[in-house]
Amino acid sequence: LPEPARASSKRGKRGRAGDQKSLLRKDRSASVPADTTTIHYEKFWLYRHCSSLEQSHRQAQKAGQLFSGLLAMNVVFLGSAFISSMIFNRVAITLADVWILLSVLKVLCVFWIIYYLMGTSRKPHAVLYRDTHAGHIWVRGKFLMLFGSCSILLNVFEIGYSTILVRCKSNVEILFPVVAILFIGTQIYFLWHHSKDCIQVQHNFTRCGLMVAVATNLLEWLLSVTNDTLHMEMESQLREVEERFTGNETALCICPNTTICRVFQKGYILLYPFNTEYSLICSSMLYVIWKNVGRSISHHHSLERRPRFKLKGVLFGPVLGTCVVIIGACVFMMYQIQATSLDPSRQILVIYFTYYIVLLPLMSVCAVVGTIIHALEKKELDTVQNPTRSLDVVLLMSAALGQICMSYFSIVALVASNRRDLLNRLALAYSVLIILQNISQNVFVIDGLHRRHVVAAAEAKHEANQTPPRRMSVLELGQEIRKFSLSYIQTYSRLTWKRRVLREISFFLVLCNIILWIMPTFGSHPLFENGIERSFYGYSTWFVIVNFGLPLAVFYRMHSINGLLEVYVTA
Amino acid sequence: LPEPARASSKRGKRGRAGDQKSLLRKDRSASVPADTTTIHYEKFWLYRHCSSLEQSHRQAQKAGQLFSGLLAMNVVFLGSAFISSMIFNRVAITLADVWILLSVLKVLCVFWIIYYLMGTSRKPHAVLYRDTHAGHIWVRGKFLMLFGSCSILLNVFEIGYSTILVRCKSNVEILFPVVAILFIGTQIYFLWHHSKDCIQVQHNFTRCGLMVAVATNLLEWLLSVTNDTLHMEMESQLREVEERFTGNETALCICPNTTICRVFQKGYILLYPFNTEYSLICSSMLYVIWKNVGRSISHHHSLERRPRFKLKGVLFGPVLGTCVVIIGACVFMMYQIQATSLDPSRQILVIYFTYYIVLLPLMSVCAVVGTIIHALEKKELDTVQNPTRSLDVVLLMSAALGQICMSYFSIVALVASNRRDLLNRLALAYSVLIILQNISQNVFVIDGLHRRHVVAAAEAKHEANQTPPRRMSVLELGQEIRKFSLSYIQTYSRLTWKRRVLREISFFLVLCNIILWIMPTFGSHPLFENGIERSFYGYSTWFVIVNFGLPLAVFYRMHSINGLLEVYVTA
């Protein structure tokens, strides 16, 4: 139902246009951007009789958010209905129909982004403030670029695969990935350069554009998750997807025995999880921009220096964490080898659960210790408005719900089924520990995010004293290495023990969460494969529960990494 | 996982106990309750190093809310897992197990409420402020008392029914309704007298108590909804519930042909929907109290006079609304008579949809006109913090999601199935109009809730001039009636046209929402019974969608009535 939203944004624009002109007349000469006359107060036809400009601005902001939110809600519901129809009634609505809907949305988004880059953002005083908390360098660098590139690569593979099998595929199937690549590329460019913007002009149109983009990414995620169906039997799934497209001509569409076709297929399977996560990250970044539309940030606040990521001053965390990652990787590989065999043994499940049962209490204890140290530290609490942090907290809590929900279902099933063998007990311990770990980690991260960062003056000074790098002989290199280790140890001992422990803990937890992200993402689902819960609730019910919980659990791990890195840097 | 929450509340208590004593020493003599020294600042062991008492108070509040919220989340998840297990695996977890869990929770809640009434609320300075917005008289009167009494009656019927069939039922089955009655009664007493409290002592313990109560009510609602399963085939359902309890002895447990047994059975079926709604209302009221724990309200704000509900000054709204209700009741009865027959004709579905298709645009137009009048009115916007209103807005929006979600699924099914007969078109128009109506009504109500209420001085004066009621002769009665009608017309003409139209509209919408609440609540589900969507998505999928959407849609109507009455009173 975009009508009211669109209508209101039109009226809003008209109102603003006049407003803007009069402002421009005054401000052409003004050079300081933080001048009060450059503030574009929002207007909305519903709120014309407010006592102050300020209040009408605030109300207009709320109304704009309401209408653009309603727009997104309608798009998401329509898309969800499409996707569900595709799943449950493959005749009436095909995957192609869903892709057409998504492509239309993507094209709309691309047009809006281009308009934003060319038009909106170039208007005078369009972006007076930038939110320093939005779009951290590692969110943009690691998540956005890495996952975005993987998503583009995925679509390239899809094009290649479709080209090889062009005889049994329609040409439209090559068009969709092209649109997707265009969309992902434009979106990465937009988010890379504009994720910190607090947009001050064309408020309602910008909000609607952002919300359509959020909705598109959410639908993309929903489609990935439902298409993915647990990453299980991916290859047969792939064949099934083809079937859905082509109808009856299944027999014709088998990958010929060329290497390139196999590469495309394998690459597709390997890159798929990145695409899923990428959509969610984009949604959350776009949401933060949307929250920042029309927001004005005090000058002092916007100039606050953000700490940079440095590896100095940690020792045990990385070492212990690396051990955990290596052991985890071994367990994961053993699990994968076993799982691909037709009859997975119980032994590998025992090993898998044991690994978790050893690791999870360690992580929980670390998180609790971290929380206690936070309490001991004499740091001020930061209570300044910060949409990025609020979103981080909400996402952490709601993503944890998926895992916790699954665990409770598992606990009830295991206790009620009343079988007293080793595997059953291990699975029970695993579920209980997962809940404890998620909650303790959330408390630690949320608490850490609200601590005010103190720029360590000593550290900055020390850094300035270091010589710039230059070409050196082998002898000099030896000296440099000695000097570096010395300075490392110095930094290490200079940090107070509290900050050091906090850094060790958060670094350790980052590494743990990385391995706990990798394992379910690339195919280990013991909760599904051990069969206890599956036989208790019935296949389809447990499938729905896991299919709801698992994508959230995977996202939770990734989002925790983000939060923990933030805690590490500010510690 | 109540451990951390409980532990923290204990420590919190100890901290506060000392704090309190020192405060008491100072304050025994103080008589003015709004004295600043009587403020019980919250403390929390995590936040001891804040610069100001104020900041540590705010942080402690957040931490208390986080921990009690986590407690509720865990209880809800555990309960949901229990209920799901009961549905999907009737052997391992029976309805009796779920009832035992719920009864334990209910007993805990009763103990906490008694402790609150006897202990917490009687402490000095326990309740310094009262939230005037919480627990409106019609929420408490109409919803709480009416629905609560119905719930008690329902349990009485259940006891009676079980007593008659005592030979095939366990004695425990009589115990559960007794606990339920005890719980409902205590809760009504608590909410009636304490729904406006802003509790200032024992913050964390009170929060945990409230959250357990919220969780219990939510689980009660979940059980009702899942047990209800669309209110369809209620009677056979009832028999099935018995089966679940007794295992194999089904044949023995049939209601003997006595009137009393039939009355119990029928009463149970009729009263069931009230119980469902009652749980949700209690949850939302308890949530508001929870939000108000530790909140301090400025003296001016708390003394603000709330307008009373008066029927004066409306004419067309009630008349038109009553017509709508009467016609709706006729359609509903025709529908019910037809639906109970084994082969419901398409004709009744056509009549049903036509009724909606005529009514919904009328309601939408009214809501849009109301929104425009709100914009024309020169009223200030109320931006004071108000948990009741925030919750109202969130509930309105999220309850509307259920209906809108169902409608979108229906639209996709109807468009994709591509049948061009009358019923299909009507159902499509119905779904589209439902979305438009929900959104326009939400905008109208949310906008109205944020208008500041102006106490009409003229009205109050006029009222004071009226004579108090006394015994009168027939002649006097005639005069009184004349006088009353005169004063009614005077009041009517005295209101500005804008306020008058707003009142007419909101009254009309109240009546419309009442009939739209009655119809699905007591058994009309054309979306399920017309069979188009059912055959499109498959029985079980559509059943899940409707079973998720319908309880929310029903709650939406009831909650809209609440919001519209508020708009009516403040207009």
Side-chain angles (χ1 to χ4, degrees), chain A residues 1 47 49 51 55 59 73-74 84-85 88-89 92 375 380-381 383 401 408-409 412 436 447 536-537 541, chain B residues 1 47 49 51 55 59 73-74 84-85 88-89 92 375 380-381 383 401 408-409 412 436 447 536-537 541:
Chain A
L1 194 89
Y47 308 105
H49 303 292
S51 56
Q55 214 205 6
Q59 285 300 325
M73 184 196 77
N74 282 288
S84 306
S85 303
F88 297 110
N89 187 332
E380 281 297 295
L381 289 159
T383 49
L401 293 188
Y408 269 113
F409 275 94
V412 169
L436 287 174
D447 204 36
F536 184 82
Y537 289 106
T541 310
Chain B
L1 194 88
Y47 308 104
H49 302 292
S51 55
Q55 214 204 5
Q59 286 300 324
M73 184 196 77
N74 282 287
S84 306
S85 302
F88 297 110
N89 187 332
E380 280 298 295
L381 289 159
T383 48
L401 293 188
Y408 268 113
F409 275 95
V412 169
L436 287 174
D447 203 37
F536 185 81
Y537 288 107
T541 309

Side-chain angles (χ1 to χ4, degrees), chain A residues 229-455:
Chain A
T229 45
L230 270 181
H231 316 252
M232 271 169 55
E233 305 168 290
M234 248 316 202
E235 293 177 61
S236 71
Q237 200 72 30
L238 213 70
R239 228 168 293 132
E240 203 187 325
V241 169
E242 284 160 27
E243 274 172 49
R244 275 191 228 170
F245 242 114
T246 50
N248 301 327
E249 316 154 50
T250 43
L252 292 168
C253 243
I254 295 163
C255 206
N257 269 332
T258 54
T259 325
I260 186 89
C261 188
R262 295 259 160 239
V263 167
F264 284 156
Q265 233 180 15
K266 283 278 169 202
Y268 185 86
I269 292 160
L270 203 70
L271 290 173
Y272 203 89
F274 291 104
N275 185 39
T276 314
E277 300 294 306
Y278 167 76
S279 314
L280 269 189
I281 295 163
C282 286
S283 297
S284 63
M285 287 178 83
L286 288 164
Y287 172 81
V288 169
I289 305 178
W290 178 77
K291 277 295 264 189
N292 277 333
V293 171
R295 185 178 163 212
S296 53
I297 298 167
S298 71
H299 207 60
H300 166 76
H301 184 64
S302 71
L303 281 180
E304 197 178 86
R305 190 178 149 248
R306 277 197 57 75
R308 275 163 48 212
F309 180 80
K310 280 180 244 113
L311 203 64
K312 282 184 184 174
V314 282
L315 188 65
F316 299 105
V319 171
L320 199 60
T322 312
C323 294
V324 167
V325 169
I326 291 168
I327 299 170
C330 295
V331 171
F332 174 64
M333 276 186 284
M334 280 159 69
Y335 188 93
Q336 282 307 89
I337 292 162
Q338 281 276 332
T340 46
S341 72
L342 281 171
D343 181 36
S345 69
R346 293 166 65 86
Q347 200 193 343
I348 188 63
L349 281 172
V350 171
I351 294 174
Y352 188 96
F353 281 133
T354 311
Y355 174 71
Y356 267 86
I357 288 167
V358 172
L359 181 59
L360 291 172
L362 200 62
M363 290 172 73
S364 307
V365 168
C366 283
V368 170
V369 169
T371 312
I372 292 169
I373 290 176
H374 269 151
L376 295 175
E377 251 194 337
K378 290 181 182 166
K379 253 191 187 180
E380 281 297 295
L381 289 159
D382 187 6
T383 49
V384 186
Q385 193 205 357
N386 183 342
T388 311
R389 185 173 54 202
S390 312
L391 179 69
D392 278 349
V393 171
V394 169
L395 285 182
L396 261 185
M397 292 306 287
S398 45
L401 293 188
Q403 182 76 66
I404 293 175
C405 178
M406 269 203 298
S407 293
Y408 269 113
F409 275 94
S410 180
I411 289 171
V412 169
L414 291 166
V415 171
S417 66
N418 212 13
R419 284 192 300 183
R420 303 222 175 281
D421 62 347
L422 179 67
L423 190 61
N424 213 341
R425 278 182 192 154
L426 285 176
L428 185 61
Y430 164 84
S431 294
V432 172
L433 289 170
I434 279 275
I435 295 175
L436 287 174
Q437 196 272 325
N438 276 18
I439 289 177
S440 59
Q441 183 169 289
N442 273 4
V443 171
F444 173 62
V445 173
I446 291 171
D447 204 36
L449 290 179
H450 283 89
R451 299 278 150 175
R452 194 167 287 169
H453 160 249
V454 190
V455 182

Side-chain angles (χ1 to χ4, degrees), chain B residues 440-453:
Chain B
S440 59
Q441 184 169 289
N442 273 4
V443 171
F444 173 61
V445 173
I446 291 171
D447 203 37
L449 290 179
H450 283 88
R451 299 277 150 175
R452 193 167 287 168
H453 161 248

Side-chain angles (χ1 to χ4, degrees), chain B residues 28 62 190 237 248 313 327 352 354 359 447 471 493 566:
Chain B
R28 282 265 192 237
K62 281 205 173 171
F190 170 70
Q237 199 73 29
N248 301 327
I327 298 170
Y352 188 95
T354 311
L359 180 59
D447 203 37
R471 295 189 167 228
S493 56
E566 179 80 14

